[in-house]
Amino acid sequence: MATNRKIGNSFETEFCELLFQYGFWCHNMAQNAAGQPADVIAVKNKTAYLIDCKVCSNNRFPLSRVEENQHFAMETWKACGNGEGWFALKVEDEIIMIPHFSMVALSYEKSTLNLTDIREYGTPLERWLKKC
């Protein structure tokens, strides 16, 4: 059985390869001893995106999985003029993109996102890619 880390690392690799197919330059910030506040930096058309990849089990995403250093990094990323940070949530066989500000807002009223929430507040990857 695959560990959570292996499942997450596989998704990060898959996600970078997918973005590359759509013309992005991608860097997967592989897990290091100190940890990192996000998993991927992707760039296309002079726009950079900071993205954290999360695999959802049981079609749920506990908002507690967004760590304090991730919130800080995404807020700093935006304050430096780089735009919104993003979460790529893999649910079943789909990838849904949710902006950091939505995760923060939702955390005031929910502790966990279910599949309906994820789809309601997120954007399917295919649609997100067309906006980039």
Side-chain angles (χ1 to χ4, degrees):
M1 183 173 194
T3 65
N4 285 343
R5 180 174 286 217
K6 181 163 177 43
I7 291 168
N9 289 345
S10 294
F11 175 44
E12 293 163 18
T13 300
E14 170 194 348
F15 186 72
C16 283
E17 289 171 357
L18 206 131
L19 291 182
F20 181 76
Q21 291 173 9
Y22 283 87
F24 284 81
W25 174 90
C26 297
H27 177 70
N28 183 352
M29 296 184 275
Q31 195 76 319
N32 61 41
Q36 79 278 350
D39 298 315
V40 174
I41 292 179
V43 181
K44 184 175 181 181
N45 297 327
K46 301 179 184 177
T47 303
Y49 302 88
L50 184 66
I51 305 166
D52 195 69
C53 298
K54 302 284 190 191
V55 177
C56 301
S57 56
N58 302 319
N59 296 333
R60 298 180 115 31
F61 181 74
L63 290 165
S64 61
R65 288 185 58 200
V66 181
E67 299 170 14
E68 190 173 323
N69 69 330
Q70 293 174 313
H71 284 300
F72 179 75
M74 290 195 176
E75 289 163 6
T76 304
W77 175 265
K78 187 172 183 175
C80 290
N82 295 307
E84 194 63 44
W86 290 86
F87 288 86
L89 302 185
K90 184 170 187 176
V91 186
E92 296 177 344
D93 287 333
E94 63 184 311
I95 299 171
I96 299 174
M97 303 297 291
I98 300 182
H100 176 251
F101 73 85
S102 292
M103 292 291 211
V104 171
L106 288 165
S107 71
Y108 289 108
E109 52 187 76
K110 299 174 178 279
S111 60
T112 300
L113 301 181
N114 60 33
L115 185 55
T116 302
D117 296 327
I118 293 168
R119 287 182 173 147
E120 181 178 342
Y121 297 105
T123 302
L125 180 62
E126 297 76 23
R127 194 168 354 134
W128 185 84
L129 289 167
K130 289 177 182 175
K131 295 178 182 178
C132 295

